[in-house]
Amino acid sequence: MMGTDKKLRSNVSQPSIIEPGQPASRPDDPPLLPGEKVMGVAREVTYLCPYSGPARGVLSVTNYKLHFRSMDRDTPYVVEVPLGVVSRVEKVGGQSSRGENSYGIELFCKDMRNLRFGHKQENHSRRNVFEKLQQYAFPLSHKLPLFAFDYSEVFPENGWNVLEPIAEFKRMGVPNDMWKITKINEHYEICDSYPAVWAIPAAATDDDVRAVAAFRSRARIPVLSWIHPESQATICRCSQPLVGVGGKRCREDERYIQLIMDANAQSHKLYIMDARPSANAIANKAKGGGYESEDAYQNAELVFLDIHNIHVMRESLRKLKDLCFPNVEEARWLSGIEATYWLKHIKYILAGASRIANRVETHKTSVLVHCSDGWDRTAQLTALAMLLLDPYYRTIKGFEVLIEKEWLSFGHKFQQRIGHGDDRHSDADRSPVFLQFVDCVWQLTQMFPDAFQFNETLLITILDHLYSCRFGTFLFNSDRERVQDNVKQRTVSLWSYINSSIDNYRNPLYLPRPGVLEPVASVRLISLWKGLYCRWNPGMRPQDPIYQRIRELLVLKEQLEKQVDECKQEQKARVSRNMPTPPRLASPVHS
Amino acid sequence: MMGTDKKLRSNVSQPSIIEPGQPASRPDDPPLLPGEKVMGVAREVTYLCPYSGPARGVLSVTNYKLHFRSMDRDTPYVVEVPLGVVSRVEKVGGQSSRGENSYGIELFCKDMRNLRFGHKQENHSRRNVFEKLQQYAFPLSHKLPLFAFDYSEVFPENGWNVLEPIAEFKRMGVPNDMWKITKINEHYEICDSYPAVWAIPAAATDDDVRAVAAFRSRARIPVLSWIHPESQATICRCSQPLVGVGGKRCREDERYIQLIMDANAQSHKLYIMDARPSANAIANKAKGGGYESEDAYQNAELVFLDIHNIHVMRESLRKLKDLCFPNVEEARWLSGIEATYWLKHIKYILAGASRIANRVETHKTSVLVHCSDGWDRTAQLTALAMLLLDPYYRTIKGFEVLIEKEWLSFGHKFQQRIGHGDDRHSDADRSPVFLQFVDCVWQLTQMFPDAFQFNETLLITILDHLYSCRFGTFLFNSDRERVQDNVKQRTVSLWSYINSSIDNYRNPLYLPRPGVLEPVASVRLISLWKGLYCRWNPGMRPQDPIYQRIRELLVLKEQLEKQVDECKQEQKARVSRNMPTPPRLASPVHS
């Protein structure tokens, strides 16, 4: 039975703030978030778990999630899927379908899962569930708002303030003699996919900027991403030059690139790292794009990093999903992973980032990074190179800043790549570009287990909410769109949520240290992130997580340190008082 | 130049105890162990490192090792190979060979390495080096003693006392009502590959034992390996019954197996786990062997565990060596690992052990394990099952006991399988059976990181000295042979060495706990032990070992605990000295 009006009213009358996990007033209701409402309930639904077999229970659909609670198990279990995660909903089994549980609904998810539910034909519950799932999984296709605009939870910290562009530039010592901050794009008039505030060579004029914008795809001109605190070698990012088949040149662009090179006194060279395979870069000339010729750009060395485009990556992930879910073929597991090329793609991205970091750090040479439009592979490369170079980005807050800066403010098209609330599941614009970046970060945390303040939980939480549409963070394609829709005012930032329980995301092994990480990008050292891709399969979970033990050790250490401290204070006090009377002894240890 | 008589004399005149690592008296001499002597030195030799390129230096051959020290590098480096590790020495390049370094010697090692040295033809140094290498790598083929009989280092503890068979039985509560200890094999007359002391069903007579011995391959009758402290369910081990094509039966054997079943009041069933694939077990009938028919053995359930024989395992490791050394083909790494089947073999062994442990623990049913002769796969299975069942074997001392008991005393043919000091490198009796066991143990330490008192270093050290011939532990094929050659009196035990620096082998995460380990034997959770198989390749080393950080944490914790303790002691002392009123004491720290 679907929820009736009465049911919905009873829900509305509940206190408006319900903590997640707190039971709602009616026993069948799932726990609700502030702003979440039950849209439909169906009973006698069977969840066809690929691991533990069918379970009968109650299925609820809210404006945020699908919630299933089993009723026929000794220990009832719950399956919960934020509807933003759903990429496709399908009916399975027709009117005449035979066999138990063959009639129902199947959900295909962006997080590697598929879920299948069996409905009783005689209940007529399927039609309503299907309809509600369609509406709330794909609200944009049904002229409904994304859940983030209904969600009203209040957190102590406002995550929207995590990145203050001017402050972040200041942290890097910008402005300085060679770099200035410009608000020429304050109203997104030069480049509608770029942030409002840029750092550019101090010698560049507004006219230069306009001329360069005309010569770069989508007007994404070279601007500063990062500057080395000592050598002043920089990482800049942009899109491809509009060279075309005729090999067009642009004096202003050439001069502007020279200004970037000149801003670094340590080197008379500039590396232009083109993320693409050279064949793709050449092919782009036919569409008016291309790459910098070394004739036109004196002292620049062009390097192709051989990273494939969004379509290749999407196909690779599709194969990986087939391999990981629901079950894997034991005997072909390793060759199956190899055949997806997922790890190979990860390797090329890591190798590219490592190369950029090495040029900046060791060669003290500035690097300009682009791909075609500069919002996919370029973001992967600059963000990873910055993570390798700058320990600040390896802290939790620094990592949030990095994502805000290199991904969000520079217009990675989250809306297009993820397809939030959109039912066109086979849209060719979708691609796991940001997922690949997070996978690369995970690989680095495995290679350097004490270099990151955050743990795997942070990375998985970010990815969960990349899809969930609970927070405003990953909505829209650019800062301009987010400003236009008042996202900061109307939605909650993911960082508000994460920073309110930051201890969950700490790496107990973290040891803050300066210095650059130098990963070896080899398939032999890169491994499949089972904790993410295989997490739905209970047989794939680690049997005995090491981190719990380390965390306990750290807590114990802190308590002991406190005790030693108190003891010393006490002794000091006693000495100064020259005490004959008894001291108050150290407090007991709580473990 | 090879060492002259004078050189050898000068060596003899050195103090007889030279600590490893301590420089010998002449600058070119390598550090020597007590009992080790330089047998030859060659200069201007080139070590052709596959990773860092050729290095010129001095090569020494002793009665224990090959030692090369580079002379042309800024930071000189040393390559050292115990000669026991060498399986084959070959000359490369003839009189007429051209090209630098094409004339020399190549060594093929049992530990995955090959090493190549270039000699100058005009020096005539190759012949002597080759000769000395042949003599001291294969002393048994040249009527020379193994180095273990010359090695004279003294350690505080005598590792030969690690296993006291009677005490180990007592630890398990044997003898008891159902099990007795017998010395019927005291002089190895019943079974020359079994230990001197056995535990057998209390109701079995000496005549039973003799009759059963006649019906079991190599007289390896079913005897007790382990008994559950509560349920009294047991693990017994033996060889295959001599059933033959005619399906011979033996009443005494059937009755004896029934006695083993009856000794466990918890179950009216017995599992016979045959380690082999069923096809191999059937094929063995043609050679007079076979397996127990369920007709003849009432209440026994026969299970085949599908583990392949020594030849298949040897071939698998050969492929793995080709894959790992010296370099790997990036693009085919994972499928290459899969194609060796090494991890698949590891999986079957782990799955078999896990099944045995499960039958004993959960079903409270006794298990009898055998393969063909019961000294290869059987030892893998019983030792691993015991490791899963009994936390004692997961301590350092307990693990030593386990190896002494299930591998050494039960006659795993170390001499045949490793080929100590024997130049027949293609001998079909060689096989990495014990290596596979240690690999399985490593897999378990990865799945259960806090369940083992020992670390990876212990496992690698054991494997290094499996081949090195420095210690007597892994020499010979059986206890009988070791007694005959006075190995305990004439050689040093590996455990003497390990227990004298036991802190090196501790797992900082170890948390002693009761209970059974239940591994999931899946290729998805089993991984290649890169720290062992790929350790010679600098590019394969972990970039940032996590254990160092954890170890530091533990040391810090211990120091803090000590400080807190001292503080408290001091306060207590002060209080008792001049206190008018009693203080409220803090509770001590328990960790």
Side-chain angles (χ1 to χ4, degrees):
Chain A
M1 279 184 307
M2 290 300 293
T4 60
D5 279 353
K6 190 172 157 235
K7 165 100 192 84
L8 285 175
R9 269 200 306 278
S10 86
N11 204 304
V12 167
S13 70
Q14 285 170 5
S16 67
I17 296 171
I18 300 171
E19 290 297 318
Q22 180 185 320
S25 60
R26 286 173 55 136
D28 281 354
D29 274 2
L32 296 173
L33 293 172
E36 187 180 3
K37 292 175 205 144
V38 174
M39 296 302 176
V41 177
R43 280 159 221 291
E44 294 192 88
V45 172
T46 304
Y47 168 54
L48 300 163
C49 175
Y51 308 110
S52 63
R56 186 64 63 91
V58 178
L59 185 143
S60 313
V61 179
T62 75
N63 54 343
Y64 174 59
K65 65 172 174 271
L66 174 153
H67 178 96
F68 172 84
R69 191 169 57 232
S70 75
M71 309 295 269
D72 63 350
R73 299 280 174 114
D74 288 343
T75 39
Y77 74 85
V78 162
V79 178
E80 223 181 68
V81 190
L83 294 178
V85 166
V86 175
S87 69
R88 198 163 116 216
V89 183
E90 280 191 2
K91 290 181 183 167
V92 287
Q95 285 295 331
S96 62
S97 67
R98 283 148 197 268
E100 211 179 356
N101 303 323
S102 63
Y103 179 87
I105 288 176
E106 185 156 13
L107 288 92
F108 300 81
C109 298
K110 298 171 184 176
D111 64 359
M112 312 290 279
R113 281 187 280 186
N114 297 340
L115 293 123
R116 195 158 158 185
F117 295 93
H119 286 253
K120 293 201 159 181
Q121 271 182 269
E122 60 272 28
N123 280 355
H124 304 292
S125 62
R126 188 177 75 165
R127 199 186 48 183
N128 283 323
V129 167
F130 182 76
E131 200 174 279
K132 296 292 174 194
L133 284 175
Q134 285 281 352
Q135 279 175 18
Y136 294 98
F138 314 118
L140 296 190
S141 303
H142 292 82
K143 305 215 184 328
L144 288 167
L146 292 165
F147 175 69
F149 291 96
D150 289 327
Y151 176 54
S152 57
E153 192 162 358
V154 177
F155 293 97
E157 191 190 316
N158 185 354
W160 289 121
N161 300 331
V162 154
L163 173 65
E164 297 282 3
I166 304 284
E168 169 61 6
F169 281 128
K170 204 172 161 195
R171 189 188 69 81
M172 297 195 291
V174 173
N176 56 28
D177 285 355
M178 307 307 286
W179 293 90
K180 69 178 176 187
I181 290 174
T182 173
K183 296 196 171 176
I184 191 171
N185 200 43
E186 199 171 5
H187 305 294
Y188 309 104
E189 281 167 347
I190 303 277
C191 174
D192 64 358
S193 60
Y194 256 22
V197 179
W198 308 343
I200 59 172
T205 66
D206 283 4
D207 285 342
D208 289 339
V209 166
R210 286 191 188 91
V212 173
F215 188 64
R216 291 275 164 181
S217 177
R218 318 273 181 170
R220 294 173 65 93
I221 79 161
V223 298
L224 182 78
S225 275
W226 192 77
I227 181 164
H228 195 289
E230 282 142 32
S231 72
Q232 306 283 297
T234 58
I235 297 177
C236 291
R237 61 183 288 175
C238 61
S239 61
Q240 66 186 339
L242 298 174
V243 170
V245 274
K248 222 182 339 168
R249 290 179 59 166
C250 169
R251 300 273 162 222
E252 291 88 349
D253 193 83
E254 289 161 24
R255 202 182 77 89
Y256 185 88
I257 302 292
Q258 186 67 43
L259 290 179
I260 290 176
M261 195 184 317
D262 293 346
N264 170 17
Q266 304 277 333
S267 174
H268 299 295
K269 199 173 169 177
L270 177 83
Y271 287 99
I272 300 179
M273 301 277 193
D274 188 324
R276 302 167 291 185
S278 62
N280 300 27
I282 293 164
N284 256 290
K285 286 189 176 180
K287 293 181 263 175
Y291 52 89
E292 294 82 356
S293 78
E294 288 178 12
D295 289 344
Y297 296 83
Q298 296 289 325
N299 309 316
E301 185 179 325
L302 188 71
V303 179
F304 293 104
L305 296 178
D306 284 328
I307 302 170
H308 282 280
N309 66 23
I310 60 167
H311 311 295
V312 173
M313 301 311 188
R314 183 178 57 241
E315 182 59 14
S316 176
L317 185 68
R318 191 193 60 70
K319 284 186 189 157
L320 190 64
K321 178 173 172 172
D322 284 350
L323 191 75
C324 293
F325 190 89
N327 283 302
V328 309
E329 203 193 327
E330 246 335 86
R332 306 262 312 138
W333 173 242
L334 291 178
S335 54
I337 293 174
E338 190 173 277
T340 68
Y341 295 118
W342 185 257
L343 298 184
K344 194 182 164 190
H345 296 315
I346 295 289
K347 178 179 96 164
Y348 275 87
I349 298 166
L350 275 175
S354 177
R355 215 154 151 184
I356 294 166
N358 176 268
R359 291 298 177 282
V360 170
E361 176 70 20
T362 313
H363 298 227
K364 297 183 168 57
T365 304
S366 296
V367 179
L368 176 64
V369 185
H370 69 70
C371 45
S372 297
D373 287 323
W375 50 43
D376 292 313
R377 289 165 277 196
T378 297
Q380 291 176 333
L381 290 168
T382 57
L384 285 170
M386 287 158 76
L387 200 64
L388 296 177
L389 285 163
D390 192 337
Y392 169 66
Y393 298 122
R394 305 198 288 261
T395 65
I396 295 176
K397 294 281 177 84
F399 190 60
E400 294 169 357
V401 166
L402 186 70
I403 291 174
E404 284 284 341
K405 184 170 146 66
E406 288 304 303
W407 288 91
L408 291 157
S409 88
F410 274 106
H412 172 70
K413 300 188 150 199
F414 282 101
Q415 175 62 39
Q416 277 198 5
R417 296 287 175 258
I418 310 299
H420 298 306
D422 183 310
D423 63 2
R424 290 168 298 165
H425 58 84
S426 57
D427 187 330
D429 272 330
R430 297 200 185 170
S431 189
V433 175
F434 184 73
L435 167 66
Q436 277 188 320
F437 161 71
V438 178
D439 191 325
C440 289
V441 175
W442 181 82
Q443 304 287 347
L444 293 174
T445 65
Q446 299 302 296
M447 294 182 195
F448 305 97
D450 60 5
F452 292 84
Q453 192 187 22
F454 50 85
N455 58 18
E456 187 182 45
T457 309
L458 180 77
L459 300 179
I460 292 182
T461 303
I462 289 172
L463 289 174
D464 278 344
H465 294 296
L466 169 66
Y467 309 120
S468 79
C469 297
R470 174 171 162 189
F471 302 100
T473 300
F474 295 117
L475 305 185
F476 300 98
N477 289 317
S478 64
D479 269 2
R480 193 186 62 86
E481 290 181 8
R482 278 182 285 271
V483 167
Q484 206 166 37
D485 274 76
N486 289 309
V487 169
K488 289 195 184 192
Q489 291 73 41
R490 295 172 60 206
T491 72
V492 179
S493 160
L494 171 58
W495 317 127
S496 304
Y497 169 77
I498 283 173
N499 294 349
S500 74
S501 54
I502 207 159
D503 282 344
N504 294 346
Y505 306 106
R506 285 187 199 281
N507 169 15
L509 291 175
Y510 178 52
L511 205 60
R513 54 168 183 187
V516 175
L517 304 182
E518 294 175 38
V520 173
S522 155
V523 165
R524 294 156 298 164
L525 295 171
I526 290 168
S527 50
L528 185 72
W529 187 4
K530 291 179 201 161
L532 179 73
Y533 302 112
C534 306
R535 63 180 157 152
W536 311 117
N537 184 343
M540 292 295 281
R541 281 178 206 144
Q543 311 208 325
D544 199 3
I546 202 168
Y547 281 91
Q548 192 48 36
R549 171 95 178 100
I550 302 169
R551 200 183 303 266
E552 285 163 14
L553 256 181
L554 268 184
V555 169
L556 200 60
K557 184 191 127 229
E558 272 158 32
Q559 287 169 346
L560 285 164
E561 277 171 350
K562 210 173 140 211
Q563 268 193 300
V564 168
D565 230 49
E566 284 174 1
C567 243
K568 282 192 188 141
Q569 290 295 328
E570 200 84 47
Q571 284 176 336
K572 210 187 265 173
R574 195 179 309 111
V575 166
S576 68
R577 272 179 278 146
N578 198 2
M579 291 231 345
T581 45
R584 196 188 134 267
L585 290 173
S587 58
V589 179
H590 306 288
S591 62
Chain B
M1 281 184 307
M2 290 300 293
T4 59
D5 278 354
K6 187 171 160 238
K7 166 102 189 81
L8 286 174
R9 268 201 305 280
S10 88
N11 205 305
V12 167
S13 70
Q14 284 169 8
S16 66
I17 295 170
I18 300 170
E19 291 296 319
Q22 182 185 321
S25 59
R26 286 173 55 137
D28 281 354
D29 274 1
L32 296 174
L33 293 171
E36 187 180 2
K37 292 176 207 144
V38 174
M39 296 302 176
V41 178
R43 284 159 217 290
E44 291 193 271
V45 171
T46 304
Y47 168 55
L48 300 163
C49 176
Y51 308 110
S52 62
R56 186 64 61 92
V58 178
L59 185 144
S60 314
V61 179
T62 76
N63 53 344
Y64 173 61
K65 64 173 177 269
L66 174 153
H67 179 98
F68 172 84
R69 192 169 59 233
S70 76
M71 310 295 271
D72 62 350
R73 301 278 174 116
D74 287 344
T75 41
Y77 74 85
V78 163
V79 178
E80 220 181 69
V81 189
L83 294 179
V85 166
V86 175
S87 69
R88 199 161 115 218
V89 184
E90 281 189 3
K91 289 180 183 166
V92 287
Q95 284 296 333
S96 63
S97 67
R98 284 146 194 269
E100 210 179 356
N101 302 323
S102 64
Y103 179 86
I105 288 177
E106 185 156 12
L107 287 92
F108 300 82
C109 298
K110 297 170 183 177
D111 63 358
M112 314 291 277
R113 279 187 280 186
N114 297 340
L115 293 125
R116 196 159 158 184
F117 295 93
H119 286 253
K120 293 201 158 180
Q121 269 181 269
E122 58 273 30
N123 280 357
H124 303 293
S125 63
R126 188 176 77 166
R127 198 186 50 183
N128 283 323
V129 167
F130 181 75
E131 198 173 280
K132 297 293 174 194
L133 284 174
Q134 286 282 351
Q135 278 174 18
Y136 293 99
F138 313 119
L140 297 191
S141 304
H142 294 82
K143 306 219 181 327
L144 287 168
L146 291 164
F147 175 68
F149 292 95
D150 289 328
Y151 175 53
S152 56
E153 191 162 359
V154 176
F155 293 99
E157 193 190 315
N158 185 354
W160 289 121
N161 299 331
V162 154
L163 173 64
E164 296 280 4
I166 304 284
E168 170 60 5
F169 281 129
K170 205 172 161 196
R171 189 190 70 80
M172 297 195 290
V174 173
N176 59 26
D177 284 354
M178 306 309 285
W179 292 90
K180 69 178 177 189
I181 290 174
T182 174
K183 295 196 172 175
I184 191 170
N185 201 43
E186 200 172 3
H187 303 295
Y188 309 104
E189 281 168 347
I190 304 278
C191 174
D192 64 357
S193 61
Y194 257 23
V197 179
W198 307 345
I200 60 171
T205 66
D206 283 5
D207 285 344
D208 289 340
V209 166
R210 285 191 190 92
V212 174
F215 189 64
R216 292 274 163 183
S217 177
R218 319 271 182 172
R220 294 172 66 93
I221 80 162
V223 298
L224 182 79
S225 274
W226 192 77
I227 182 163
H228 195 288
E230 282 143 31
S231 72
Q232 306 283 297
T234 59
I235 298 175
C236 291
R237 61 183 288 176
C238 60
S239 61
Q240 65 185 343
L242 298 174
V243 170
V245 275
K248 222 183 340 167
R249 288 178 60 165
C250 169
R251 299 276 160 218
E252 290 87 348
D253 193 83
E254 289 162 24
R255 203 182 78 88
Y256 185 89
I257 302 292
Q258 186 65 42
L259 289 178
I260 290 175
M261 193 185 316
D262 293 345
N264 170 16
Q266 305 274 334
S267 173
H268 298 295
K269 202 174 170 177
L270 177 84
Y271 287 99
I272 301 178
M273 302 278 195
D274 188 325
R276 302 167 291 186
S278 62
N280 299 28
I282 293 164
N284 256 290
K285 286 190 178 180
K287 292 181 264 173
Y291 51 89
E292 294 81 357
S293 79
E294 287 178 11
D295 290 344
Y297 296 82
Q298 297 288 324
N299 309 316
E301 187 179 324
L302 188 72
V303 179
F304 293 104
L305 296 178
D306 285 327
I307 302 168
H308 281 281
N309 65 24
I310 59 167
H311 311 295
V312 174
M313 301 312 187
R314 182 179 56 240
E315 182 57 12
S316 177
L317 185 68
R318 191 193 58 72
K319 283 185 189 157
L320 189 65
K321 179 172 173 172
D322 284 350
L323 192 75
C324 293
F325 191 89
N327 282 303
V328 308
E329 202 192 328
E330 251 326 93
R332 305 264 310 138
W333 173 241
L334 291 178
S335 55
I337 293 174
E338 191 174 275
T340 68
Y341 293 120
W342 185 256
L343 298 184
K344 194 182 163 193
H345 296 314
I346 294 289
K347 178 178 95 164
Y348 275 87
I349 298 167
L350 275 175
S354 177
R355 216 156 150 183
I356 294 166
N358 177 269
R359 291 299 177 280
V360 170
E361 176 69 18
T362 312
H363 297 228
K364 297 183 170 54
T365 302
S366 295
V367 179
L368 177 64
V369 185
H370 70 70
C371 46
S372 298
D373 287 321
W375 50 43
D376 292 313
R377 287 167 277 197
T378 297
Q380 290 176 333
L381 290 168
T382 57
L384 286 169
M386 288 158 74
L387 200 65
L388 295 177
L389 286 162
D390 193 337
Y392 170 65
Y393 299 121
R394 304 198 288 262
T395 64
I396 296 175
K397 294 281 177 83
F399 190 61
E400 294 170 356
V401 167
L402 187 70
I403 291 174
E404 284 283 340
K405 185 169 144 67
E406 290 303 303
W407 288 91
L408 291 157
S409 89
F410 274 106
H412 172 69
K413 300 189 150 200
F414 281 101
Q415 175 60 40
Q416 277 198 4
R417 297 288 174 258
I418 309 301
H420 297 305
D422 184 309
D423 63 2
R424 289 168 300 163
H425 59 81
S426 57
D427 187 331
D429 272 329
R430 296 202 186 169
S431 189
V433 175
F434 184 74
L435 167 66
Q436 276 187 320
F437 161 72
V438 178
D439 191 324
C440 288
V441 174
W442 180 82
Q443 303 287 347
L444 293 173
T445 64
Q446 299 302 295
M447 294 183 194
F448 305 98
D450 61 3
F452 293 83
Q453 192 187 22
F454 50 84
N455 59 17
E456 188 182 42
T457 309
L458 181 76
L459 299 179
I460 293 182
T461 304
I462 289 173
L463 288 173
D464 279 343
H465 293 296
L466 169 66
Y467 308 118
S468 78
C469 297
R470 174 171 162 189
F471 302 101
T473 300
F474 296 117
L475 306 186
F476 299 97
N477 289 316
S478 65
D479 267 3
R480 192 185 63 84
E481 288 181 8
R482 279 182 284 270
V483 166
Q484 207 165 36
D485 274 76
N486 288 310
V487 169
K488 288 195 184 192
Q489 289 74 42
R490 295 172 57 207
T491 73
V492 178
S493 161
L494 171 58
W495 317 128
S496 304
Y497 170 76
I498 283 175
N499 294 350
S500 74
S501 54
I502 207 159
D503 282 344
N504 293 348
Y505 306 107
R506 286 187 198 281
N507 169 15
L509 291 175
Y510 178 52
L511 206 60
R513 55 166 182 189
V516 175
L517 304 182
E518 295 176 37
V520 174
S522 155
V523 164
R524 294 156 296 165
L525 295 171
I526 290 169
S527 50
L528 185 72
W529 186 5
K530 290 179 203 162
L532 179 73
Y533 301 112
C534 308
R535 64 179 156 151
W536 311 118
N537 184 344
M540 291 295 280
R541 281 178 207 144
Q543 312 206 325
D544 201 1
I546 201 168
Y547 281 92
Q548 192 48 35
R549 171 95 177 97
I550 302 168
R551 199 184 302 266
E552 284 164 14
L553 256 181
L554 268 184
V555 170
L556 202 59
K557 184 190 129 232
E558 272 158 32
Q559 286 168 346
L560 286 164
E561 278 172 349
K562 211 173 138 210
Q563 270 186 291
V564 168
D565 229 47
E566 283 171 2
C567 241
K568 285 201 187 128
Q569 289 296 329
E570 203 177 311
Q571 286 175 339
K572 208 188 265 174
R574 193 177 307 109
V575 166
S576 65
R577 263 183 277 130
N578 54 14
M579 292 273 316
T581 43
R584 195 183 134 267
L585 283 169
S587 59
V589 179
H590 303 286
S591 63

